[in-house]
mmCIF file with all atom_site columns, all heavy atoms in Angstrom:
data_model
loop_
_atom_site.group_PDB
_atom_site.id
_atom_site.type_symbol
_atom_site.label_atom_id
_atom_site.label_alt_id
_atom_site.label_comp_id
_atom_site.label_asym_id
_atom_site.label_entity_id
_atom_site.label_seq_id
_atom_site.pdbx_PDB_ins_code
_atom_site.Cartn_x
_atom_site.Cartn_y
_atom_site.Cartn_z
_atom_site.occupancy
_atom_site.B_iso_or_equiv
_atom_site.pdbx_formal_charge
_atom_site.auth_seq_id
_atom_site.auth_comp_id
_atom_site.auth_asym_id
_atom_site.auth_atom_id
_atom_site.pdbx_PDB_model_num
ATOM 1   N N   . MET A 1 1  ? 0.793  -1.189 -0.056  1.00 95.00 ? 1  MET A N   1
ATOM 2   C CA  . MET A 1 1  ? -0.026 0.003  0.039   1.00 95.00 ? 1  MET A CA  1
ATOM 3   C C   . MET A 1 1  ? 0.809  1.189  0.059   1.00 95.00 ? 1  MET A C   1
ATOM 4   O O   . MET A 1 1  ? 0.499  2.243  -0.672  1.00 95.00 ? 1  MET A O   1
ATOM 5   C CB  . MET A 1 1  ? -0.884 -0.035 1.270   1.00 95.00 ? 1  MET A CB  1
ATOM 6   C CG  . MET A 1 1  ? -2.003 -1.148 1.171   1.00 95.00 ? 1  MET A CG  1
ATOM 7   S SD  . MET A 1 1  ? -3.035 -0.961 2.684   1.00 95.00 ? 1  MET A SD  1
ATOM 8   C CE  . MET A 1 1  ? -4.217 -2.396 2.302   1.00 95.00 ? 1  MET A CE  1
ATOM 9   N N   . LEU A 1 2  ? 1.939  1.236  0.747   1.00 95.00 ? 2  LEU A N   1
ATOM 10  C CA  . LEU A 1 2  ? 2.875  2.377  0.771   1.00 95.00 ? 2  LEU A CA  1
ATOM 11  C C   . LEU A 1 2  ? 3.384  2.558  -0.564  1.00 95.00 ? 2  LEU A C   1
ATOM 12  O O   . LEU A 1 2  ? 3.532  3.758  -1.012  1.00 95.00 ? 2  LEU A O   1
ATOM 13  C CB  . LEU A 1 2  ? 3.950  2.174  1.777   1.00 95.00 ? 2  LEU A CB  1
ATOM 14  C CG  . LEU A 1 2  ? 4.856  3.363  2.138   1.00 95.00 ? 2  LEU A CG  1
ATOM 15  C CD1 . LEU A 1 2  ? 4.042  4.438  2.839   1.00 95.00 ? 2  LEU A CD1 1
ATOM 16  C CD2 . LEU A 1 2  ? 5.960  3.078  3.103   1.00 95.00 ? 2  LEU A CD2 1
ATOM 17  N N   . GLN A 1 3  ? 3.930  1.473  -1.261  1.00 94.00 ? 3  GLN A N   1
ATOM 18  C CA  . GLN A 1 3  ? 4.386  1.661  -2.673  1.00 94.00 ? 3  GLN A CA  1
ATOM 19  C C   . GLN A 1 3  ? 3.357  2.129  -3.569  1.00 94.00 ? 3  GLN A C   1
ATOM 20  O O   . GLN A 1 3  ? 3.746  2.985  -4.470  1.00 94.00 ? 3  GLN A O   1
ATOM 21  C CB  . GLN A 1 3  ? 4.874  0.272  -3.112  1.00 94.00 ? 3  GLN A CB  1
ATOM 22  C CG  . GLN A 1 3  ? 5.163  0.180  -4.658  1.00 94.00 ? 3  GLN A CG  1
ATOM 23  C CD  . GLN A 1 3  ? 6.410  -0.366 -4.953  1.00 94.00 ? 3  GLN A CD  1
ATOM 24  O OE1 . GLN A 1 3  ? 7.551  0.234  -4.942  1.00 94.00 ? 3  GLN A OE1 1
ATOM 25  N NE2 . GLN A 1 3  ? 6.452  -1.602 -5.539  1.00 94.00 ? 3  GLN A NE2 1
ATOM 26  N N   . SER A 1 4  ? 2.041  1.783  -3.373  1.00 94.00 ? 4  SER A N   1
ATOM 27  C CA  . SER A 1 4  ? 1.001  2.263  -4.306  1.00 94.00 ? 4  SER A CA  1
ATOM 28  C C   . SER A 1 4  ? 0.961  3.830  -4.176  1.00 94.00 ? 4  SER A C   1
ATOM 29  O O   . SER A 1 4  ? 0.825  4.463  -5.203  1.00 94.00 ? 4  SER A O   1
ATOM 30  C CB  . SER A 1 4  ? -0.325 1.598  -3.904  1.00 94.00 ? 4  SER A CB  1
ATOM 31  O OG  . SER A 1 4  ? -1.290 2.085  -4.731  1.00 94.00 ? 4  SER A OG  1
ATOM 32  N N   . CYS A 1 5  ? 1.067  4.369  -2.975  1.00 94.00 ? 5  CYS A N   1
ATOM 33  C CA  . CYS A 1 5  ? 1.117  5.751  -2.809  1.00 94.00 ? 5  CYS A CA  1
ATOM 34  C C   . CYS A 1 5  ? 2.352  6.387  -3.452  1.00 94.00 ? 5  CYS A C   1
ATOM 35  O O   . CYS A 1 5  ? 2.212  7.474  -4.076  1.00 94.00 ? 5  CYS A O   1
ATOM 36  C CB  . CYS A 1 5  ? 1.006  6.126  -1.305  1.00 94.00 ? 5  CYS A CB  1
ATOM 37  S SG  . CYS A 1 5  ? -0.438 5.494  -0.405  1.00 94.00 ? 5  CYS A SG  1
ATOM 38  N N   . PHE A 1 6  ? 3.510  5.801  -3.308  1.00 94.00 ? 6  PHE A N   1
ATOM 39  C CA  . PHE A 1 6  ? 4.753  6.218  -3.913  1.00 94.00 ? 6  PHE A CA  1
ATOM 40  C C   . PHE A 1 6  ? 4.541  6.305  -5.310  1.00 94.00 ? 6  PHE A C   1
ATOM 41  O O   . PHE A 1 6  ? 5.002  7.252  -6.043  1.00 94.00 ? 6  PHE A O   1
ATOM 42  C CB  . PHE A 1 6  ? 5.883  5.310  -3.485  1.00 94.00 ? 6  PHE A CB  1
ATOM 43  C CG  . PHE A 1 6  ? 7.160  5.521  -4.150  1.00 94.00 ? 6  PHE A CG  1
ATOM 44  C CD1 . PHE A 1 6  ? 7.944  6.607  -3.813  1.00 94.00 ? 6  PHE A CD1 1
ATOM 45  C CD2 . PHE A 1 6  ? 7.500  4.689  -5.173  1.00 94.00 ? 6  PHE A CD2 1
ATOM 46  C CE1 . PHE A 1 6  ? 9.262  6.808  -4.418  1.00 94.00 ? 6  PHE A CE1 1
ATOM 47  C CE2 . PHE A 1 6  ? 8.769  4.878  -5.850  1.00 94.00 ? 6  PHE A CE2 1
ATOM 48  C CZ  . PHE A 1 6  ? 9.607  5.923  -5.465  1.00 94.00 ? 6  PHE A CZ  1
ATOM 49  N N   . LEU A 1 7  ? 3.949  5.152  -6.031  1.00 92.00 ? 7  LEU A N   1
ATOM 50  C CA  . LEU A 1 7  ? 3.892  5.126  -7.478  1.00 92.00 ? 7  LEU A CA  1
ATOM 51  C C   . LEU A 1 7  ? 2.922  6.274  -7.919  1.00 92.00 ? 7  LEU A C   1
ATOM 52  O O   . LEU A 1 7  ? 3.269  6.817  -8.991  1.00 92.00 ? 7  LEU A O   1
ATOM 53  C CB  . LEU A 1 7  ? 3.273  3.767  -7.864  1.00 92.00 ? 7  LEU A CB  1
ATOM 54  C CG  . LEU A 1 7  ? 4.246  2.594  -7.684  1.00 92.00 ? 7  LEU A CG  1
ATOM 55  C CD1 . LEU A 1 7  ? 3.586  1.234  -7.918  1.00 92.00 ? 7  LEU A CD1 1
ATOM 56  C CD2 . LEU A 1 7  ? 5.493  2.688  -8.612  1.00 92.00 ? 7  LEU A CD2 1
ATOM 57  N N   . SER A 1 8  ? 1.882  6.521  -7.150  1.00 91.00 ? 8  SER A N   1
ATOM 58  C CA  . SER A 1 8  ? 0.926  7.538  -7.539  1.00 91.00 ? 8  SER A CA  1
ATOM 59  C C   . SER A 1 8  ? 1.636  8.909  -7.596  1.00 91.00 ? 8  SER A C   1
ATOM 60  O O   . SER A 1 8  ? 1.489  9.732  -8.593  1.00 91.00 ? 8  SER A O   1
ATOM 61  C CB  . SER A 1 8  ? -0.176 7.639  -6.589  1.00 91.00 ? 8  SER A CB  1
ATOM 62  O OG  . SER A 1 8  ? -1.016 8.796  -6.658  1.00 91.00 ? 8  SER A OG  1
ATOM 63  N N   . TRP A 1 9  ? 2.579  9.168  -6.651  1.00 92.00 ? 9  TRP A N   1
ATOM 64  C CA  . TRP A 1 9  ? 3.311  10.409 -6.588  1.00 92.00 ? 9  TRP A CA  1
ATOM 65  C C   . TRP A 1 9  ? 4.249  10.367 -7.761  1.00 92.00 ? 9  TRP A C   1
ATOM 66  O O   . TRP A 1 9  ? 4.508  11.453 -8.421  1.00 92.00 ? 9  TRP A O   1
ATOM 67  C CB  . TRP A 1 9  ? 3.988  10.542 -5.263  1.00 92.00 ? 9  TRP A CB  1
ATOM 68  C CG  . TRP A 1 9  ? 5.041  11.558 -5.252  1.00 92.00 ? 9  TRP A CG  1
ATOM 69  C CD1 . TRP A 1 9  ? 4.802  13.017 -5.356  1.00 92.00 ? 9  TRP A CD1 1
ATOM 70  C CD2 . TRP A 1 9  ? 6.460  11.509 -5.096  1.00 92.00 ? 9  TRP A CD2 1
ATOM 71  N NE1 . TRP A 1 9  ? 5.956  13.721 -5.343  1.00 92.00 ? 9  TRP A NE1 1
ATOM 72  C CE2 . TRP A 1 9  ? 6.990  12.844 -5.294  1.00 92.00 ? 9  TRP A CE2 1
ATOM 73  C CE3 . TRP A 1 9  ? 7.289  10.409 -5.027  1.00 92.00 ? 9  TRP A CE3 1
ATOM 74  C CZ2 . TRP A 1 9  ? 8.431  13.032 -5.229  1.00 92.00 ? 9  TRP A CZ2 1
ATOM 75  C CZ3 . TRP A 1 9  ? 8.627  10.618 -5.028  1.00 92.00 ? 9  TRP A CZ3 1
ATOM 76  C CH2 . TRP A 1 9  ? 9.146  11.900 -5.056  1.00 92.00 ? 9  TRP A CH2 1
ATOM 77  N N   . VAL A 1 10 ? 5.005  9.377  -7.972  1.00 90.00 ? 10 VAL A N   1
ATOM 78  C CA  . VAL A 1 10 ? 6.065  9.363  -9.081  1.00 90.00 ? 10 VAL A CA  1
ATOM 79  C C   . VAL A 1 10 ? 5.419  9.625  -10.378 1.00 90.00 ? 10 VAL A C   1
ATOM 80  O O   . VAL A 1 10 ? 5.938  10.475 -11.189 1.00 90.00 ? 10 VAL A O   1
ATOM 81  C CB  . VAL A 1 10 ? 6.809  7.991  -9.109  1.00 90.00 ? 10 VAL A CB  1
ATOM 82  C CG1 . VAL A 1 10 ? 7.607  7.907  -10.416 1.00 90.00 ? 10 VAL A CG1 1
ATOM 83  C CG2 . VAL A 1 10 ? 7.764  7.912  -7.852  1.00 90.00 ? 10 VAL A CG2 1
ATOM 84  N N   . ARG A 1 11 ? 4.182  9.079  -10.620 1.00 87.00 ? 11 ARG A N   1
ATOM 85  C CA  . ARG A 1 11 ? 3.579  9.257  -11.854 1.00 87.00 ? 11 ARG A CA  1
ATOM 86  C C   . ARG A 1 11 ? 3.009  10.678 -12.044 1.00 87.00 ? 11 ARG A C   1
ATOM 87  O O   . ARG A 1 11 ? 2.898  11.252 -13.153 1.00 87.00 ? 11 ARG A O   1
ATOM 88  C CB  . ARG A 1 11 ? 2.404  8.299  -12.024 1.00 87.00 ? 11 ARG A CB  1
ATOM 89  C CG  . ARG A 1 11 ? 2.949  6.875  -12.258 1.00 87.00 ? 11 ARG A CG  1
ATOM 90  C CD  . ARG A 1 11 ? 1.855  5.787  -12.095 1.00 87.00 ? 11 ARG A CD  1
ATOM 91  N NE  . ARG A 1 11 ? 2.217  4.456  -12.228 1.00 87.00 ? 11 ARG A NE  1
ATOM 92  C CZ  . ARG A 1 11 ? 1.610  3.468  -11.750 1.00 87.00 ? 11 ARG A CZ  1
ATOM 93  N NH1 . ARG A 1 11 ? 0.508  3.517  -11.090 1.00 87.00 ? 11 ARG A NH1 1
ATOM 94  N NH2 . ARG A 1 11 ? 2.114  2.277  -11.953 1.00 87.00 ? 11 ARG A NH2 1
ATOM 95  N N   . SER A 1 12 ? 2.922  11.319 -10.956 1.00 86.00 ? 12 SER A N   1
ATOM 96  C CA  . SER A 1 12 ? 2.423  12.714 -10.945 1.00 86.00 ? 12 SER A CA  1
ATOM 97  C C   . SER A 1 12 ? 3.573  13.685 -11.287 1.00 86.00 ? 12 SER A C   1
ATOM 98  O O   . SER A 1 12 ? 3.320  14.889 -11.640 1.00 86.00 ? 12 SER A O   1
ATOM 99  C CB  . SER A 1 12 ? 1.737  13.136 -9.707  1.00 86.00 ? 12 SER A CB  1
ATOM 100 O OG  . SER A 1 12 ? 2.649  13.316 -8.626  1.00 86.00 ? 12 SER A OG  1
ATOM 101 N N   . VAL A 1 13 ? 4.731  13.372 -10.999 1.00 81.00 ? 13 VAL A N   1
ATOM 102 C CA  . VAL A 1 13 ? 5.919  14.259 -11.199 1.00 81.00 ? 13 VAL A CA  1
ATOM 103 C C   . VAL A 1 13 ? 6.781  13.871 -12.395 1.00 81.00 ? 13 VAL A C   1
ATOM 104 O O   . VAL A 1 13 ? 7.602  14.739 -12.705 1.00 81.00 ? 13 VAL A O   1
ATOM 105 C CB  . VAL A 1 13 ? 6.718  14.231 -9.903  1.00 81.00 ? 13 VAL A CB  1
ATOM 106 C CG1 . VAL A 1 13 ? 5.982  14.877 -8.675  1.00 81.00 ? 13 VAL A CG1 1
ATOM 107 C CG2 . VAL A 1 13 ? 7.464  12.941 -9.593  1.00 81.00 ? 13 VAL A CG2 1
ATOM 108 N N   . ALA A 1 14 ? 6.546  12.785 -12.936 1.00 76.00 ? 14 ALA A N   1
ATOM 109 C CA  . ALA A 1 14 ? 7.429  12.365 -14.071 1.00 76.00 ? 14 ALA A CA  1
ATOM 110 C C   . ALA A 1 14 ? 6.595  11.610 -15.132 1.00 76.00 ? 14 ALA A C   1
ATOM 111 O O   . ALA A 1 14 ? 5.932  10.677 -14.739 1.00 76.00 ? 14 ALA A O   1
ATOM 112 C CB  . ALA A 1 14 ? 8.604  11.581 -13.624 1.00 76.00 ? 14 ALA A CB  1
ATOM 113 N N   . GLN A 1 15 ? 6.766  11.956 -16.342 1.00 74.00 ? 15 GLN A N   1
ATOM 114 C CA  . GLN A 1 15 ? 6.191  11.267 -17.449 1.00 74.00 ? 15 GLN A CA  1
ATOM 115 C C   . GLN A 1 15 ? 7.324  10.651 -18.265 1.00 74.00 ? 15 GLN A C   1
ATOM 116 O O   . GLN A 1 15 ? 8.227  11.280 -18.868 1.00 74.00 ? 15 GLN A O   1
ATOM 117 C CB  . GLN A 1 15 ? 5.414  12.168 -18.432 1.00 74.00 ? 15 GLN A CB  1
ATOM 118 C CG  . GLN A 1 15 ? 4.601  11.431 -19.540 1.00 74.00 ? 15 GLN A CG  1
ATOM 119 C CD  . GLN A 1 15 ? 3.514  10.535 -19.122 1.00 74.00 ? 15 GLN A CD  1
ATOM 120 O OE1 . GLN A 1 15 ? 2.815  10.958 -18.254 1.00 74.00 ? 15 GLN A OE1 1
ATOM 121 N NE2 . GLN A 1 15 ? 3.558  9.372  -19.684 1.00 74.00 ? 15 GLN A NE2 1
ATOM 122 N N   . LEU A 1 16 ? 7.411  9.290  -18.229 1.00 76.00 ? 16 LEU A N   1
ATOM 123 C CA  . LEU A 1 16 ? 8.554  8.518  -18.941 1.00 76.00 ? 16 LEU A CA  1
ATOM 124 C C   . LEU A 1 16 ? 8.333  8.756  -20.399 1.00 76.00 ? 16 LEU A C   1
ATOM 125 O O   . LEU A 1 16 ? 7.248  8.374  -20.973 1.00 76.00 ? 16 LEU A O   1
ATOM 126 C CB  . LEU A 1 16 ? 8.541  7.080  -18.544 1.00 76.00 ? 16 LEU A CB  1
ATOM 127 C CG  . LEU A 1 16 ? 8.779  6.701  -17.079 1.00 76.00 ? 16 LEU A CG  1
ATOM 128 C CD1 . LEU A 1 16 ? 8.975  5.299  -16.799 1.00 76.00 ? 16 LEU A CD1 1
ATOM 129 C CD2 . LEU A 1 16 ? 9.868  7.571  -16.484 1.00 76.00 ? 16 LEU A CD2 1
ATOM 130 N N   . SER A 1 17 ? 9.310  9.189  -21.064 1.00 75.00 ? 17 SER A N   1
ATOM 131 C CA  . SER A 1 17 ? 9.246  9.443  -22.518 1.00 75.00 ? 17 SER A CA  1
ATOM 132 C C   . SER A 1 17 ? 9.724  8.267  -23.300 1.00 75.00 ? 17 SER A C   1
ATOM 133 O O   . SER A 1 17 ? 10.429 7.388  -22.718 1.00 75.00 ? 17 SER A O   1
ATOM 134 C CB  . SER A 1 17 ? 10.043 10.658 -22.943 1.00 75.00 ? 17 SER A CB  1
ATOM 135 O OG  . SER A 1 17 ? 11.474 10.559 -22.469 1.00 75.00 ? 17 SER A OG  1
ATOM 136 N N   . ALA A 1 18 ? 9.377  8.226  -24.548 1.00 77.00 ? 18 ALA A N   1
ATOM 137 C CA  . ALA A 1 18 ? 9.882  7.090  -25.354 1.00 77.00 ? 18 ALA A CA  1
ATOM 138 C C   . ALA A 1 18 ? 11.446 7.052  -25.348 1.00 77.00 ? 18 ALA A C   1
ATOM 139 O O   . ALA A 1 18 ? 12.078 8.062  -25.448 1.00 77.00 ? 18 ALA A O   1
ATOM 140 C CB  . ALA A 1 18 ? 9.395  7.290  -26.812 1.00 77.00 ? 18 ALA A CB  1
ATOM 141 N N   . GLY A 1 19 ? 11.972 5.848  -25.191 1.00 85.00 ? 19 GLY A N   1
ATOM 142 C CA  . GLY A 1 19 ? 13.426 5.651  -25.096 1.00 85.00 ? 19 GLY A CA  1
ATOM 143 C C   . GLY A 1 19 ? 14.018 5.791  -23.721 1.00 85.00 ? 19 GLY A C   1
ATOM 144 O O   . GLY A 1 19 ? 15.234 5.635  -23.604 1.00 85.00 ? 19 GLY A O   1
ATOM 145 N N   . GLU A 1 20 ? 13.199 6.057  -22.752 1.00 91.00 ? 20 GLU A N   1
ATOM 146 C CA  . GLU A 1 20 ? 13.684 6.137  -21.347 1.00 91.00 ? 20 GLU A CA  1
ATOM 147 C C   . GLU A 1 20 ? 14.236 4.716  -20.945 1.00 91.00 ? 20 GLU A C   1
ATOM 148 O O   . GLU A 1 20 ? 13.743 3.734  -21.203 1.00 91.00 ? 20 GLU A O   1
ATOM 149 C CB  . GLU A 1 20 ? 12.559 6.453  -20.382 1.00 91.00 ? 20 GLU A CB  1
ATOM 150 C CG  . GLU A 1 20 ? 12.927 6.465  -18.892 1.00 91.00 ? 20 GLU A CG  1
ATOM 151 C CD  . GLU A 1 20 ? 13.673 7.611  -18.471 1.00 91.00 ? 20 GLU A CD  1
ATOM 152 O OE1 . GLU A 1 20 ? 13.164 8.734  -18.314 1.00 91.00 ? 20 GLU A OE1 1
ATOM 153 O OE2 . GLU A 1 20 ? 14.951 7.370  -18.211 1.00 91.00 ? 20 GLU A OE2 1
ATOM 154 N N   . ILE A 1 21 ? 15.517 4.828  -20.383 1.00 95.00 ? 21 ILE A N   1
ATOM 155 C CA  . ILE A 1 21 ? 16.117 3.640  -19.908 1.00 95.00 ? 21 ILE A CA  1
ATOM 156 C C   . ILE A 1 21 ? 15.623 3.388  -18.476 1.00 95.00 ? 21 ILE A C   1
ATOM 157 O O   . ILE A 1 21 ? 15.840 4.208  -17.628 1.00 95.00 ? 21 ILE A O   1
ATOM 158 C CB  . ILE A 1 21 ? 17.703 3.785  -19.900 1.00 95.00 ? 21 ILE A CB  1
ATOM 159 C CG1 . ILE A 1 21 ? 18.206 4.219  -21.295 1.00 95.00 ? 21 ILE A CG1 1
ATOM 160 C CG2 . ILE A 1 21 ? 18.311 2.453  -19.493 1.00 95.00 ? 21 ILE A CG2 1
ATOM 161 C CD1 . ILE A 1 21 ? 17.868 3.348  -22.428 1.00 95.00 ? 21 ILE A CD1 1
ATOM 162 N N   . VAL A 1 22 ? 15.047 2.173  -18.258 1.00 96.00 ? 22 VAL A N   1
ATOM 163 C CA  . VAL A 1 22 ? 14.569 1.797  -16.969 1.00 96.00 ? 22 VAL A CA  1
ATOM 164 C C   . VAL A 1 22 ? 15.452 0.616  -16.568 1.00 96.00 ? 22 VAL A C   1
ATOM 165 O O   . VAL A 1 22 ? 15.432 -0.475 -17.095 1.00 96.00 ? 22 VAL A O   1
ATOM 166 C CB  . VAL A 1 22 ? 13.124 1.376  -16.916 1.00 96.00 ? 22 VAL A CB  1
ATOM 167 C CG1 . VAL A 1 22 ? 12.675 0.829  -15.582 1.00 96.00 ? 22 VAL A CG1 1
ATOM 168 C CG2 . VAL A 1 22 ? 12.201 2.494  -17.315 1.00 96.00 ? 22 VAL A CG2 1
ATOM 169 N N   . ALA A 1 23 ? 16.492 0.979  -15.569 1.00 95.00 ? 23 ALA A N   1
ATOM 170 C CA  . ALA A 1 23 ? 17.377 -0.001 -15.145 1.00 95.00 ? 23 ALA A CA  1
ATOM 171 C C   . ALA A 1 23 ? 16.767 -0.765 -13.937 1.00 95.00 ? 23 ALA A C   1
ATOM 172 O O   . ALA A 1 23 ? 16.250 -0.169 -12.945 1.00 95.00 ? 23 ALA A O   1
ATOM 173 C CB  . ALA A 1 23 ? 18.639 0.569  -14.800 1.00 95.00 ? 23 ALA A CB  1
ATOM 174 N N   . ILE A 1 24 ? 16.856 -2.085 -13.949 1.00 95.00 ? 24 ILE A N   1
ATOM 175 C CA  . ILE A 1 24 ? 16.418 -2.911 -12.868 1.00 95.00 ? 24 ILE A CA  1
ATOM 176 C C   . ILE A 1 24 ? 17.588 -3.558 -12.235 1.00 95.00 ? 24 ILE A C   1
ATOM 177 O O   . ILE A 1 24 ? 18.386 -4.294 -12.882 1.00 95.00 ? 24 ILE A O   1
ATOM 178 C CB  . ILE A 1 24 ? 15.419 -4.008 -13.314 1.00 95.00 ? 24 ILE A CB  1
ATOM 179 C CG1 . ILE A 1 24 ? 14.326 -3.384 -14.189 1.00 95.00 ? 24 ILE A CG1 1
ATOM 180 C CG2 . ILE A 1 24 ? 14.923 -4.900 -12.157 1.00 95.00 ? 24 ILE A CG2 1
ATOM 181 C CD1 . ILE A 1 24 ? 13.361 -2.575 -13.447 1.00 95.00 ? 24 ILE A CD1 1
ATOM 182 N N   . ASP A 1 25 ? 17.705 -3.440 -10.895 1.00 93.00 ? 25 ASP A N   1
ATOM 183 C CA  . ASP A 1 25 ? 18.926 -3.994 -10.212 1.00 93.00 ? 25 ASP A CA  1
ATOM 184 C C   . ASP A 1 25 ? 18.657 -4.256 -8.695  1.00 93.00 ? 25 ASP A C   1
ATOM 185 O O   . ASP A 1 25 ? 17.701 -3.645 -8.135  1.00 93.00 ? 25 ASP A O   1
ATOM 186 C CB  . ASP A 1 25 ? 20.096 -3.033 -10.321 1.00 93.00 ? 25 ASP A CB  1
ATOM 187 C CG  . ASP A 1 25 ? 21.416 -3.739 -10.033 1.00 93.00 ? 25 ASP A CG  1
ATOM 188 O OD1 . ASP A 1 25 ? 21.629 -4.940 -10.323 1.00 93.00 ? 25 ASP A OD1 1
ATOM 189 O OD2 . ASP A 1 25 ? 22.309 -3.039 -9.395  1.00 93.00 ? 25 ASP A OD2 1
#
């Protein structure tokens, strides 16, 4: 639930554009 709130905030402040590198580690 805490992450769901975090994701809501991240999506409000950043729009990932085409070609954005999303690194998973």
Side-chain angles (χ1 to χ4, degrees):
M1 291 183 180
L2 190 65
Q3 163 133 289
S4 179
C5 298
F6 172 79
L7 292 169
S8 171
W9 169 66
V10 167
R11 289 167 183 160
S12 75
V13 298
Q15 182 68 43
L16 301 188
S17 57
E20 173 76 74
I21 309 297
V22 176
I24 308 291
D25 196 35

